[in-house]
Amino acid sequence: AATAGVTLNPRIWNFAKWGEDLIMNYPGGGVYIWDASSPLVRASQITQAPYRVNHIAVTSDRHLVCFGCNVPGTANASTDLDTLSIRWCTQEDYTEWAVTSTNTAGDKLITNGTEIRAIADVENQVLIWTDDSVETMQFVGPPYTFSFAKVGSGSGIVSSKGWAAYDNVIYWMGDSAFYVYQGGSNVMPCTVQRYVFDDLSTAQRDKCFA
């Protein structure tokens, strides 16, 4: 760019399995599906889903969920992305997003923080990190489909890939500390904490991986 001082986030792709097929997106972009039965055909956009999406997940109960997104459908393609909005399709059908009384499609607006930074689809729940809090999303069935609960505050995550799960425990890197989740979020003791965070460039935070 001819203009100096412009900061651009790296394009980091998100992937989720839909049976043998692969669903993918990158922050701010659409949602695509690659059909394993036609491996030489490029992935195609799911036009019924939101067109601007930051994160995706396919839950164990077979819902495609978009985190930080705009309104679904082609007619709403140019609507603004809401960084705290969560929307999901009806169960077993990633092409049906209209919320009705006879399906399980739905939406939720998170109220803690200013943006959803990362999600982790682990076990039977989805962990959602904003820049301020940690929340859980669990399938409960009709009429609400999912329940949401805040499990931590002041324990946001450094980047979308800054977490790791091992032996039913989730670990992540925050802005100034490391955290662990076992039913609740706690600061993890770390002897190299100041060495890591005192020398971390916040402009490069999206490149942090766990």
Side-chain angles (χ1 to χ4, degrees), residues 42-171:
R42 292 188 179 192
S44 59
Q45 186 172 0
I46 302 174
T47 56
Q48 299 87 353
Y51 273 60
R52 298 179 179 179
V53 181
N54 282 340
H55 312 279
I56 59 167
V58 174
T59 60
S60 58
D61 43 88
R62 299 277 286 181
H63 286 88
L64 170 58
V65 187
C66 295
F67 301 84
C69 60
N70 65 351
V71 182
T74 304
N76 302 305
S78 61
T79 56
D80 292 337
L81 184 155
D82 188 330
T83 56
L84 291 172
S85 178
I86 302 173
R87 299 179 185 275
W88 57 88
C89 69
T90 195
Q91 197 167 24
E92 297 281 358
D93 187 354
Y94 58 75
T95 66
E96 185 177 345
W97 294 78
V99 181
T100 72
S101 59
T102 57
N103 69 14
T104 58
D107 57 80
K108 170 74 174 180
L109 185 66
I110 298 293
T111 57
N112 297 302
T114 62
E115 65 173 337
I116 296 173
R117 279 191 180 171
I119 60 102
D121 184 16
V122 290
E123 299 301 318
N124 294 315
Q125 64 181 345
V126 178
L127 215 62
I128 305 166
W129 287 275
T130 71
D131 50 345
D132 176 67
S133 67
V134 187
E135 303 203 15
T136 59
M137 173 180 176
Q138 289 185 300
F139 178 71
V140 293
Y144 301 110
T145 309
F146 292 104
S147 67
F148 295 82
K150 183 177 178 181
V151 294
S153 60
S155 50
I157 195 168
V158 68
S159 66
S160 63
K161 307 299 182 184
W163 63 273
Y166 177 74
D167 198 21
N168 297 322
V169 181
I170 302 174
Y171 306 89

Side-chain angles (χ1 to χ4, degrees), residues 4-24:
V6 176
T7 301
L8 300 176
N9 294 330
R11 176 170 290 187
I12 299 174
W13 285 81
N14 306 304
F15 298 93
K17 294 182 292 183
W18 185 275
E20 65 176 3
D21 301 332
L22 193 64
I23 292 178
M24 62 193 82

